[in-house]
Amino acid sequence: MSGKQTIYGLHAVRMMLERHPTRVLGVRLAERREDPRVRAIEALAREHRVPLERVDTHEFSRALGDVAHQGVVADITPLSPWQEDELLTALTGAKSPPLLLALDGVQDPHNLGACLRTADACGVLAVIVPQDRAAQLTPAARKVAVGAAETTPVVTVTNLVRTLRLLKDAGLWVVGADAGAEKAAAQVDLKGPIVVVLGAEAGGLRRLTREHCDFLARLPQLGAVESLNVSVAAGMLLYEALRQRGSA
């Protein structure tokens, strides 16, 4: 892994300065941006003694291409990937029922990035992906995640089914997303310690993965399309979990 990653956008940079200021190597702000949100980021950078620079907006475009950088860019030390042991340790220290997301063979890095972004918004402890035949945390995935890859750990595992067994032994319930499930997501108890599992873009959950789910849940659909995009489905399930837990 590279020793430096670039993130951009008001939200992504502010959250890094608030949550992990020691990992922020430097902040660059557009010369002519002086609105309250940019001033708040500038104040955070000065508070944590992070190097700060004002640059011409065109420099951002030359370095990043056509992205919504909002005139705010930061260089950071990337979040190291977790192993199973680190995940299990984090579970023991969780202050509230942990919520995990597992992706069973999702292959599009853009979908992985979008899932990470939603996972961050929903307070997911970590995102679990298989090592083989699945999207990894590539620059493309990081770009779509817009900073979430630097706040939500990704756990790469050699055998997802084995990991699900370990999580069940640790007291988590495994909830799989399946369009053919008898119960809708709103009818499944998502308030406790759970890992939400979604399958690949085309085939859904693999047979062994489905067999290791304690519950299967479907999302309501009224249209003619057979299935939802995996990142959309992840967002709907995770926000249903938040709704049940009484979180805004």
Side-chain angles (χ1 to χ4, degrees):
M1 176 181 295
S2 169
K4 183 174 74 172
Q5 291 286 344
T6 299
I7 63 172
Y8 50 83
L10 290 159
H11 175 74
V13 174
R14 189 189 78 246
M15 294 308 290
M16 279 300 297
L17 286 167
E18 289 178 348
R19 297 181 185 179
H20 309 285
T22 58
R23 288 176 44 213
V24 182
L25 304 175
V27 173
R28 285 165 281 160
L29 303 175
E31 281 180 335
R32 298 179 183 178
R33 282 216 62 167
E34 294 293 347
D35 56 89
R37 292 185 295 174
V38 168
R39 285 200 295 269
I41 288 174
E42 186 172 13
L44 281 169
R46 294 189 188 285
E47 176 187 345
H48 296 293
R49 298 183 179 180
V50 174
L52 187 66
E53 184 181 3
R54 288 280 185 169
V55 301
D56 187 279
T57 306
H58 296 300
E59 283 195 26
F60 293 152
S61 300
R62 284 194 294 269
L64 302 171
D66 185 19
V67 300
H69 53 71
Q70 298 178 299
V72 181
V73 175
D75 293 324
I76 65 168
T77 302
L79 181 65
S80 298
W82 281 8
Q83 305 299 319
E84 281 181 349
D85 289 346
E86 292 167 296
L87 174 60
L88 295 174
T89 299
L91 290 175
T92 61
K95 297 179 181 179
S96 58
L99 177 61
L100 302 178
L101 175 64
L103 303 175
D104 183 24
V106 170
Q107 297 186 354
D108 187 340
H110 292 82
N111 281 334
L112 173 59
C115 286
L116 273 167
R117 192 171 181 179
T118 302
D120 173 80
C122 294
V124 168
L125 182 64
V127 174
I128 305 165
V129 297
Q131 180 175 308
D132 299 321
R133 294 185 292 278
Q136 304 300 318
L137 202 51
T138 61
R142 289 180 184 274
K143 181 177 180 180
V144 176
V146 193
E150 313 312 333
T151 57
T152 303
V154 173
V155 187
T156 302
V157 299
T158 55
N159 188 315
L160 180 59
V161 169
R162 174 182 173 276
T163 301
L164 293 179
R165 289 198 202 103
L166 289 173
L167 293 173
K168 291 171 80 165
D169 291 343
L172 275 72
W173 297 94
V174 181
V175 180
D178 192 314
E182 291 184 9
K183 290 186 176 182
Q187 298 173 305
V188 178
D189 186 354
L190 304 176
K191 295 187 291 293
I194 62 168
V195 50
V196 173
V197 190
L198 285 98
E201 290 88 350
L205 295 173
R206 291 177 296 174
R207 179 183 59 82
L208 273 178
T209 305
R210 183 183 288 103
E211 290 175 357
H212 281 78
C213 292
D214 298 299
F215 306 101
L216 294 175
R218 58 178 168 80
L219 293 166
Q221 287 184 244
L222 302 179
V225 177
E226 287 188 8
S227 61
L228 295 167
N229 173 275
V230 64
S231 64
V232 173
M236 293 175 70
L237 276 169
L238 293 175
Y239 273 103
E240 172 59 25
L242 284 193
R243 185 192 68 79
Q244 292 189 21
R245 294 167 186 233
S247 301

